[in-house]
Amino acid sequence: MSDVESLKAEIKKLSAKATQAKMDLHDLSEELPVNWSSILSVAHNAHAAFSELESKRQHLQALEKA
């Protein structure tokens, strides 16, 4: 499998992970003030997931331009 193909597969998995993190954050917001103490950890997980996804997408763009 080429680097581009493996990166696309990784991006697909990261996209699913980021979507789940987004839904976790959304669900938490609807339940507030219940579980308010988990806001930072849930938000951090969402931020980390989207940050990693964006980084991989940029890397893919660079590979495809090369």
Side-chain angles (χ1 to χ4, degrees):
M1 189 183 304
S2 73
D3 286 344
V4 171
E5 290 174 4
S6 63
L7 191 54
K8 284 181 180 181
E10 186 177 355
I11 287 171
K12 187 174 180 179
K13 290 177 185 178
L14 289 173
S15 181
K17 180 180 173 183
T19 299
Q20 182 59 53
K22 176 181 75 169
M23 292 308 299
D24 292 345
L25 190 58
H26 177 265
D27 292 346
L28 176 64
S29 72
E30 288 186 338
E31 297 169 356
L32 289 173
V34 176
N35 294 327
W36 68 268
S37 60
S38 64
I39 292 171
L40 289 178
S41 65
V42 174
H44 175 72
N45 288 342
H47 183 272
F50 278 96
S51 177
E52 185 176 10
L53 178 59
E54 182 62 24
S55 174
K56 295 294 181 178
R57 284 179 174 163
Q58 289 175 354
H59 186 206
L60 177 61
Q61 282 183 334
L63 284 177
E64 288 178 333
K65 286 181 181 179

